[in-house]
Amino acid sequence: MGVKVFEHSFKDFSIHKLLRSDIKYINYEKSFKFSFKKSLKIKDVIKDYYKGFAFKGKDFKDTGDVYALKGVDFNDDLSINFNDITFLPTSYFENKKYNKFIVKKGDVVVSLVGSIGKVIVVQEDVKMLLNQNNIALRIKEELYYKEFFAYVLKFILINLFEKVYKSAGYSFLAIDDLFELEIPDISLEKQKKLLEKINEANIEVKKTEADIKGNKEILDLVLSEELKVKIEDENERKKQSYTNNSISKLLKRNQNLRFSYMWSNLQSAQKILYEGVTHIEKLGKYIISTRNGWSPACDGNPEGKPVLGIDAIRDNTIHFNKLKYTPKNKKTIDFVQKGDFYVSRGNTIDLVALAGIVNDEPPKELIYPDLMIKIKFDEEYINPKYVAYVFNSTIGRTYFKYASKGKNQSMVKISSDELYNFYMPLPPKKTQDAIVAKIEIKLKEKSEIFERVSIKKESIIQIINNFLTSEKE
DNA sequence: AACCCACAGACCAATTGATC
DNA sequence: GATCAATTGGTCTGTGGGTT
């Protein structure tokens, strides 16, 4: 009598689909996965693919002629963002070892880590190598137009991401999963028609998008025109450094030295900004009061009192669309009122002291958080909107960048001191009103263009959605 | 008021572990 | 050993909240 022994390596079956135990994925397969009348698997549509290479961190340079393609450079309209892209040494492009990773025009590249659903189609004929955790697909042209393929895949991946990956703890799109995804099998003719519709919308998006200026740009533009503030010169100065010592070398826990370094930076910045500008005054002269907010512990129960988050300060206003709620109470609470002026007390150095005004009627008993300061101005001399625009322009950004305090650059703070001591252009109120009016016209124009673009973008998604729905079983 | 720290999202980049 | 897919730790940013 003996014992029968079977030897199996766990790896033989560990990747078998039936063993897959993450419930979200199984749910996806059962309920959310698109299945079509006639379908193709991704693996059937591609004639070739390659994965990126694990280049070393020290290989990446800020300048050069060989682009390194990373997921962070993927725009959401299938194009590559070449603005902040990094480079690899020229020699790498000639090196046989990296031959396989050369990105060619027409490749469809899919990012495998991070937020799933980032896809681009390479339109450029440039020297470029693919970084790790991305996969490039070459499409069988007799089956699919690559742009159309990219749009469809992107849509399906985003659906997959929503249902499976989001907050699930895993962040990698397995190649097997990718290759098993199904897309409709339809004629090139039909694809062409849909693609034409998409491209039509896209041309308009691109055309109008080019005209969109950032809010800060608009503020800078009007303020430098009206006040003769030298914002251009300050941007130029920022690029040059006038000391060879890095701040980290200088400080070594020497607060005084650090402050004097910051102070001298601020001095030279404001010297340039304000050269020849009249009406530079200390803001403190016109501040009646400042008051910090209160951050009670919150839960999700909307029975309680609503509380603002720090991200409520956006685009020069206070938004109420993302509220928290607290069941707590306190004897005296300073609630938010229409017309209030708030400034954020802490954030990164670029975002600290953003200002916003309550333009709309706020929800009842709305609490503002500890990280916001409410400022009351002497409105005989001050138009609060004007002050908010200056805070959020390069003028304010420059001042608060150097005036803010805190060791950790990712969370600097300001206090009322910094608000009181802000020297800024404060022309007579009538001039302030005129500037505000001018800025508001420009901001309104911008938001109208923005609205048009997002409707167009939405229509592209709709085209794909309608198409996939119509091909469903 | 000033400072400090935990956390979460997003993605990068080094490492691992299996296979070629 | 080289290569590949996938994992894991790290960094950066933004935020909330606690402690001194």
Side-chain angles (χ1 to χ4, degrees):
Chain A
M1 204 168 81
V3 180
K4 267 191 181 172
V5 176
F6 295 99
E7 279 200 3
H8 273 294
S9 168
F10 185 65
K11 70 177 172 3
D12 292 341
F13 53 89
S14 65
I15 54 162
H16 194 281
K17 284 199 118 189
L18 289 175
L19 216 74
R20 189 156 191 159
S21 60
D22 43 310
I23 195 71
K24 279 192 171 179
Y25 193 86
I26 291 167
N27 266 341
Y28 170 77
E29 292 240 305
K30 280 203 166 155
S31 326
F32 302 112
K33 194 173 165 183
F34 288 94
S35 49
F36 306 106
K37 290 177 232 162
K38 245 180 103 188
S39 66
L40 288 166
K41 286 190 172 166
I42 299 288
K43 64 179 176 193
D44 302 323
V45 183
I46 56 174
K47 60 181 176 205
D48 193 13
Y49 75 92
Y50 58 97
K51 287 205 63 184
F53 181 76
F55 292 105
K56 297 275 170 252
K58 60 179 190 304
D59 291 341
F60 300 118
K61 311 274 182 258
D62 288 338
T63 53
D65 62 347
V66 178
Y67 295 106
L69 186 57
K70 300 176 182 173
V72 73
D73 303 313
F74 291 18
N75 284 334
D76 66 356
D77 62 351
L78 305 189
S79 69
I80 299 170
N81 175 13
F82 282 98
N83 293 332
D84 309 309
I85 204 163
T86 53
F87 299 87
L88 287 162
T90 309
S91 61
Y92 281 31
F93 197 76
E94 317 298 339
N95 195 333
K96 268 208 170 125
K97 189 178 159 193
Y98 304 124
N99 254 346
K100 272 187 293 187
F101 311 107
I102 292 177
V103 181
K104 295 235 166 75
K105 191 177 168 180
D107 290 354
V108 178
V109 188
V110 182
S111 165
L112 300 172
V113 295
S115 50
I116 308 300
K118 287 184 136 192
V119 182
I120 55 136
V121 182
V122 182
Q123 305 288 354
E124 297 81 4
D125 225 340
V126 291
K127 290 182 176 175
M128 186 149 60
L129 295 168
L130 188 61
N131 194 36
Q132 62 171 315
N133 293 324
N134 299 294
I135 185 167
L137 312 172
R138 295 197 169 126
I139 311 302
K140 286 184 185 160
E141 281 167 26
E142 66 274 20
L143 289 178
Y144 251 89
Y145 283 109
K146 49 190 175 294
E147 281 86 9
F148 190 65
F149 172 84
Y151 276 117
V152 172
L153 179 62
K154 191 179 166 77
F155 188 95
I156 289 175
L157 285 178
I158 288 172
N159 181 53
L160 176 73
F161 176 70
E162 288 289 322
K163 301 293 187 308
V164 182
Y165 290 88
K166 207 167 187 179
S167 69
Y170 35 15
S171 58
F172 193 85
L173 173 62
I175 292 177
D176 284 342
D177 291 350
L178 174 66
F179 284 177
E180 287 299 315
L181 288 174
E182 288 172 15
I183 56 175
D185 181 7
I186 62 159
S187 70
L188 284 173
E189 219 173 309
K190 201 168 173 194
Q191 289 181 35
K192 199 174 176 187
K193 275 198 189 128
L194 288 160
L195 195 53
E196 271 164 10
K197 262 167 92 180
I198 293 171
N199 284 339
E200 223 170 88
N202 238 341
I203 286 168
E204 275 199 64
V205 167
K206 286 218 174 99
K207 218 166 53 191
T208 28
E209 226 170 21
D211 292 336
I212 296 183
K213 285 202 184 73
N215 276 355
K216 188 170 156 241
E217 266 176 89
I218 292 174
L219 301 181
D220 283 354
L221 194 80
V222 177
L223 288 172
S224 56
E225 259 175 35
E226 299 290 311
L227 298 167
K228 312 284 176 259
V229 178
K230 312 282 186 302
I231 282 168
E232 280 293 310
D233 294 1
E234 160 57 13
N235 288 338
E236 214 32 58
R237 183 201 66 86
K238 253 190 287 187
K239 288 183 200 152
Q240 306 157 2
S241 85
Y242 30 83
T243 160
N244 290 323
N245 271 324
S246 70
I247 186 159
S248 58
K249 262 196 255 164
L250 265 179
L251 69 98
K252 284 289 175 213
R253 296 193 186 79
N254 185 336
Q255 283 289 322
N256 291 333
L257 201 53
R258 178 171 179 275
F259 282 141
S260 74
Y261 175 88
M262 299 298 263
W263 180 248
S264 70
N265 260 307
L266 177 58
Q267 289 288 300
S268 43
Q270 290 199 334
K271 212 164 150 187
I272 290 169
L273 272 172
Y274 295 165
E275 201 198 332
V277 181
T278 48
H279 307 297
I280 298 295
E281 289 196 68
K282 203 175 181 177
L283 182 61
K285 222 173 129 182
Y286 302 104
I287 294 179
I288 291 173
S289 69
T290 64
R291 183 158 190 194
N292 287 20
W294 175 50
S295 285
C298 291
D299 55 29
N301 187 358
E303 298 278 290
K305 288 190 175 67
V307 183
L308 289 172
I310 198 74
D311 57 345
I313 302 183
R314 290 195 312 274
D315 307 332
N316 317 304
T317 50
I318 305 292
H319 295 254
F320 313 126
N321 53 359
K322 256 173 71 186
L323 299 175
K324 305 176 292 179
Y325 297 91
T326 184
K328 297 213 170 166
N329 230 322
K330 178 166 108 157
K331 268 187 210 141
T332 53
I333 304 178
D334 188 19
F335 294 115
V336 175
Q337 284 170 349
K338 193 173 171 180
D340 282 354
F341 180 107
Y342 293 96
V343 55
S344 58
R345 192 167 69 79
N347 211 324
T348 57
I349 50 167
D350 292 320
L351 296 173
V352 71
L354 280 181
I357 289 182
V358 182
N359 287 324
D360 304 319
E361 195 57 49
K364 212 172 145 241
E365 304 202 320
L366 177 62
I367 297 167
Y368 65 97
D370 158 60
L371 253 67
M372 283 189 195
I373 301 176
K374 179 192 273 191
I375 310 179
K376 279 206 163 39
F377 294 105
D378 184 347
E379 297 200 15
E380 198 184 331
Y381 302 101
I382 296 289
N383 181 337
K385 279 190 179 172
Y386 168 79
V387 179
Y389 292 144
V390 174
F391 268 48
N392 298 340
S393 74
T394 293
I395 302 172
R397 296 301 90 219
T398 306
Y399 170 70
F400 289 110
K401 182 154 83 186
Y402 295 120
S404 54
K405 296 170 287 196
K407 259 187 196 157
N408 192 343
Q409 290 286 286
S410 76
M411 191 50 167
V412 293
K413 292 289 201 306
I414 58 150
S415 65
S416 55
D417 259 9
E418 281 71 43
L419 296 169
Y420 278 95
N421 290 322
F422 181 20
Y423 282 88
M424 60 177 271
L426 279 171
K429 197 177 174 199
K430 267 195 179 157
T431 316
Q432 294 177 30
D433 294 343
I435 292 174
V436 167
K438 215 166 171 182
I439 289 175
E440 280 184 341
I441 290 172
K442 291 221 184 246
L443 287 176
K444 193 161 172 241
E445 276 171 14
K446 185 210 132 168
S447 65
E448 279 165 9
I449 298 175
F450 201 80
E451 184 65 16
R452 281 212 303 278
V453 170
S454 40
I455 289 171
K456 278 282 157 201
K457 279 187 173 166
E458 189 57 36
S459 77
I460 295 175
I461 295 172
Q462 266 314 314
I463 293 171
I464 304 285
N465 191 17
N466 290 345
F467 158 66
L468 290 180
T469 313
S470 71
E471 292 298 321
K472 261 188 189 168
E473 263 185 325

